[in-house]
Each structure stands twice: as C-alpha cells, then as structure tokens.
Amino acid sequence: MPYLHIMKILIIEDEPGLQRSIAQYLLSEGNLCSMASTYIQALERLGVYEYDCILLDLTLPDGEGLQILNYLKRMNRNEGVIIISARNSIDQKIEGLSLGADDYLIKPFHLSELNARILAVVRRKSAHGERHIEFNEIRIDLDAKEVLVNGKVLYMTKKEFDLLLYFVSNKGKVISKSAAVEHIWGDDSDMADSFDFIYTHIKNIRKKLTDAGSRDYFQSVYGIGYKFTEV
Amino acid sequence: MKLFTRYNRILVVISLSGLLLIGFLFYRMLVYYLDRQIDHDLVEEIMEVKEYSAKGNFYQPHEFEDLIVQYKKVEKVNSSSSYADTVFYNPLKHRKETARYLKTEFELVGQPYQVLVIASKFERQEQIRNICLIILIPVLLLFALVLLVNRILLKKIWVPFEQLLENITAFNINHERPYEPVEMPVAEFRQLNEVLVALSGKVKSDYNEIKLFTENASHEMMTPLAVINSKLDNMLQSNVLGKEDGETLVELYKATSRLTKLNQSLLLLVKIDNNLLQDEEQINLKSLIKEKQVYFQELISERNITVESTLADVSISASRSLLEILINNLFSNVIRHNYDGGKIEITLDADKIVFANTGHNKALDPEKIFDRFYKDNASEGTGLGLAILKQICNRQRYQLDYSYYQDLHTFTITFNHQ
C-alpha cells in the first residue's frame, strides 16, 4: 500500500455539520482527526499537538482564521494548511497563501476533492516526500506526470492523468460524477452539469490500463459515480 | 416643442396682438384729434366768411389752403350746423380727396345762405401716416431686437442645462465615475443639479447595497451547500444503498450542483460589477481560444459536434480573468445549446469574435436573451451565462450582438466599436 502512515488532521471549522462530515470521511480513510470550532480551541489544540495537515475555515466566530496562520508562522510550525472558505476572493486567497497556507479550497467542495488536496499537501510537506504513488501493478510518477503499469509507461492525456490520480487518492471511495467533473474542470466552468462525458474518460483510462496488463480496478456505482478499489 | 420655441411663440402672439390693439387705438385717437383740428379750422373759415360778409364781400380762400367755400341761397336760415366726412373733387390737384366739411346757414350780405366749407384731409392723412410710421418702425425694430436678444440669451442660459442632460445620459450605475455636477449660474438649474447629485448618490448607494446583499446572501448559502454536499459524499460511501437511493442521490447531487453554480454565477456577476477582476494585460486571443477548445474537446467530440474555426493572430489588451470567463461561456453556450452532430463556427479577426452554433431553437429574442435568468425550460444552465457574457462586454466596452442567420445562432463581440 502507498502512503501507509496515518495522518493527523486538525479541522478548524465552526459549522458542526460540515465538521462532522469531513471528520467522518477522513476517519474512514484511517486518519486521526481533531476538531476545533473556535480560534481559542484551535490554539489550545495547536499548543499541545502537532499535525500533518490543518483544515482552516477563515471565518471563525471569535477571531479571524488568518490569525492562526500568523501564529503558525511565528511558531515556525511545519503543518500543511488548507484554507476552506466560502469566500472565493482573489485577495483573500493571495493573503492566505502568502501567510503560509498551502492550498485554498472554496466551499462547497466534495470530500474526495478535499482528501486529494490533503494528500497532495502532506506529500509536498514531508521531508522525504515520495514523488510517486503505487497501487499494485500501477505506479504514478508525480514529477514526470507518468503512469506506469508493470514498469511500462502509458500515454495519458492530462485530464486522464488527473482523473486517475484523483481516484487513486480516494481509493475505496465512491466518487460521484459531479465530483469527478468538478475536479478536472474547476469551478469556473459552467459545464459541470453535463456529467455524461466523464463516462468516456473513465472508459479510456480503463482501456489504457487493462491494455497494458493491469487489472480493472474501476467499479461503476448505481450510475452515480465510480469507485477505484481492490478487486 | 422646445421650451424656447414655445416661449417665443407665446411672446410673439401676445406682443403682436398688443401692438395691433395699441396701434389701432393710437390711430383712432390721432384721427379724432386731427378731425377736431380740421373742424376748428373750418369754424375759423366761417368766421372769416362772416367777417368778409360784414364788409359786404364773399370770402374765397387762397389756392394753397386746400379749401373750398361754397355758397348756396336758401329760403330761410335754419340755424344749425353739421360736420361730416366726405369726398370732394380737389380742383387744384384735379383729383378726388377725402375731406371734411362744415355746413351751416346764416344771413350773408342780407340774404339767407347755406355755406359749405370743405377742407381736404389729404395733408393731415399724410401726417397721420408719417406719425404712425415714425412710431411703428422703431417699435418693430425694438421688437425684433428683443426676440434676437432673447434667443441668444436663452441659448446661453440653457447651455449648462444641456451639459447637465449630457451628464445624466453619461451617468452609468456600473461605472465608478459618479454623476458629475455642472456649474450652474441659474438658481433653478442649480437646484436641479443638486437634486440630481443627491439622487445619483442615493441610486448608487442603493445599488451597492443590493450588490452587497447579493454577495452576502450568496456567500451565506455556500456553507449550508457545503454541508449538504459533504453529507451526500458520505452517504455515497454507504454499502447498503439500493438502486432507488442511488437515483435519489443523483438528483440531489444535480440540484446541489446547480444551486452552487447559480450562487457562483451571482457572485461572479457582483465581482464583475465591482470591477474586482482588473488584471489588464496583452492577451493572444487566438491561443486563448485554441486552449479553450482543447479544454472543451471531450464535450465537443462526445456529441459529435464539428468545429470550424478561422482564427487570425489577434492580441488585445484586456483583463485575462474576464476574457477567460468570456471564452469559457461562449464555448459552453455553443456546446450546451447545440444538438448532437451539430456545428460550431468560430471566427476571430482584428475587430471581432464570432461564435455561431446550430441548435434546436429557432431565432431567440435578442432583446431578452442577455437578461438574467432568461432561459428555455429545457436548459439545465443557470440562466446567467449570457448575462455574465453581457456584463463582461459592458465592463470591457465591447459590443455584444446576437443574430440568427442561416440556421445559426450567432454571437458577435466587437472590440472597438464607436
């Protein structure tokens, strides 16, 4: 199995429903989650523990989330930080990233997207960061943006590569078509409601993998989406 | 009718009728006084006649006096005298002239006589005419002068008003530039100007408040949407979902996604309104369109749509974010409203971009399609795509036109329209 180590994640989010959902998803991936609903709670947690990744909502009831970034910077902490915000503001994004945040995710988001981003951030942060992901006979080289099956390089388009990486990052989870569409199309596209063409993408990826001798790990789920999982 | 024309018309009508009335009265007065004067002269002539008769002579006037004295024997003296107008033959001038006579009877050299003194009014009438002309011509000249001065003065006075109108027309709620006040020398106009300044300020602040409200409302909705979305993502992981649950989840995902898109589009509109996307730079449109075509390639080939593009190498200076959204929206519009196996035509030259597509619909109403939330029922879009397009064109000062020609829905964006 790739990235075997368990991640410790702090969720700083004042909306309890969202907090629980995120935790539920991340826990089922085998991670450890702490929760904080306020600025003070977050500081208390951070004073005691170290994390692999911090999810930070910028609008907290008792203080600006950006202050937490300041705190982490002051304390020379090395945690990866992903801002989760309802504000899609370029200024705030730039401010957050310049204060040391590693990524900026706009609400609403799919949990699979959040999970993929967390993995990417943690991978980047870890000192001896593995620049490739392995899943049985499949090896994804993140630097070269290449997919190898049994050591043989496959040709994949950028979108196919992104999609495969997305599914592998969320292996064992069902990913809805809309989540998959949004992942490769971003949110400035108006087309996310035309889900059907995602089928073609998955079909192409499947064909390329199996043609190269890989087993078929994709499963279709009730017409909602797909799952990449051990056979 | 212009205020100026209306004012002048009334002024001319009143002045002319006043002038006519006064002229008529003046003329009548003048005639009356001159008649009295002639009558006085006639009486003096009669005195003369009486004086002459006392000496036993019949008086005859001088030739140059324009007078005729006629004597007629009567049975007996009827002591009455009468004045009246008449026409007589002037033997000196050999022509008929209007005249005034005095008829009276008295004893003349012992005999009863009727004496008729006729005096020509010709000279007097000449006098009246001259007096009238002497008065009338300066009055008319004065009147013309007043009209002229009025015209010039009013025009001058209205100049700031016209400036004010121009400024109102130029006032755009979307532009940063506030309504520009005009220097007003006239109190009423100044008042109007002040009212307009206040009004435009109010309109602007109200508009900003609405924008802020839209922005806040949309933002507030994002968090609950995030909750719904994340709950759905977790539900999807359940192993006990049946086929029906799956279908329900699909619908829920679709609805949530649509609501999210709607919110994002509203926020985008506010952002464009607020001029938050100002990353002006030189953009190569040809490569931008090609890049987006690759981006949309799967959607296009999935539906067997043919793309015919004629792209010139054009670069323009504009906001990159806005142009990306613009091209994105054009592409998603021509793909979304196309039919399978349809056609897309893209033309780019130095003046304009043209996106044309085949579609199920017949010609659309060009007045309405750029309105917010205008869409046909079959569309799954937000109904904001074209409104965003329009807003970007407004912001970049491009002209956006829609036409339907040879079964193609055609959207034309002209860059440097005047």
Side-chain angles (χ1 to χ4, degrees), chain B residues 127-187:
Chain B
Q127 263 178 338
I128 291 177
R129 193 177 311 141
N130 287 341
I131 290 171
C132 282
L133 279 182
I134 285 166
I135 292 172
L136 199 66
I137 288 172
V139 164
L140 282 178
L141 279 178
L142 188 70
F143 187 58
L145 191 72
V146 165
L147 280 182
L148 193 73
V149 168
N150 248 341
R151 179 176 277 269
I152 294 168
L153 206 65
L154 277 176
K155 225 168 216 168
K156 222 178 143 113
I157 288 174
W158 283 103
V159 164
F161 181 78
E162 263 143 36
Q163 181 63 43
L164 191 133
L165 275 185
E166 219 165 83
N167 286 9
I168 299 174
T169 322
F171 174 68
N172 185 328
I173 203 162
N174 279 325
H175 290 175
E176 288 306 304
R177 219 157 44 89
Y179 167 78
E180 275 177 32
V182 190
E183 274 298 311
M184 288 289 184
V186 184

Side-chain angles (χ1 to χ4, degrees), chain B residues 350-377:
Chain B
D351 301 324
K352 59 185 187 298
I353 310 178
V354 182
F355 270 69
N357 66 289
T358 49
H360 293 295
N361 289 320
K362 283 282 150 202
L364 303 165
D365 185 351
E367 296 291 313
K368 283 191 186 150
I369 53 165
F370 299 116
D371 287 353
R372 295 178 183 189
F373 301 114
Y374 172 85
K375 58 171 186 169
D376 60 280
N377 294 332

Side-chain angles (χ1 to χ4, degrees), chain A residues 15 17-18 21 24-25 86-88 108 110-111 159 173-174 185 190-191 193 195 197 200-201 222 224, chain B residues 219 222 226-227 230-231 233-234 236-237 241 246 250 253 260 271 294-296 298-299 302 332 336 380:
Chain A
E15 176 64 42
L18 189 58
S21 296
Q24 191 185 340
Y25 194 91
R87 302 234 158 216
N88 183 6
H110 286 284
L111 295 176
K159 279 175 200 158
K173 293 279 188 231
V174 183
W185 291 82
D190 193 24
M191 302 301 286
D193 54 337
F195 299 148
F197 81 101
T200 319
H201 269 305
Y222 329 110
I224 308 175
Chain B
H219 272 142
M222 287 305 192
V227 175
S230 62
K231 297 287 171 200
D233 285 345
N234 275 325
L236 195 57
Q237 310 310 326
L241 286 178
V250 168
Y253 266 121
T260 308
K271 240 188 238 178
V294 173
Y295 185 74
F296 283 100
E298 290 84 2
L299 286 173
E302 178 81 14
S332 38
R336 188 198 299 277
E380 288 203 357

Side-chain angles (χ1 to χ4, degrees), chain B residues 266-284:
Chain B
L266 283 174
L267 284 170
L268 184 60
L269 275 172
V270 173
K271 240 188 238 178
I272 299 167
D273 269 1
N274 285 342
N275 222 358
L276 287 177
L277 304 164
Q278 288 177 307
D279 44 348
E280 193 100 341
E281 59 180 279
Q282 202 66 22
I283 296 161
N284 187 312

Side-chain angles (χ1 to χ4, degrees), chain B residues 280-296:
Chain B
E280 193 100 341
E281 59 180 279
Q282 202 66 22
I283 296 161
N284 187 312
L285 275 176
K286 183 182 181 177
S287 52
L288 181 62
I289 292 175
K290 285 207 149 158
E291 185 189 307
K292 292 293 169 191
Q293 192 178 336
V294 173
Y295 185 74
F296 283 100

Side-chain angles (χ1 to χ4, degrees), chain B residues 60-74:
Chain B
Q60 281 302 331
H62 289 289
E63 281 183 4
F64 55 80
E65 273 185 303
D66 267 355
L67 269 172
I68 291 179
V69 181
Q70 289 174 348
Y71 303 94
K72 204 166 117 193
K73 266 207 170 120
V74 287

Side-chain angles (χ1 to χ4, degrees), chain A residues 21-36:
Chain A
S21 296
I22 294 173
Q24 191 185 340
Y25 194 91
L26 295 177
L27 286 170
S28 71
E29 291 271 296
N31 303 302
L32 294 174
C33 292
S34 294
M35 261 101 75

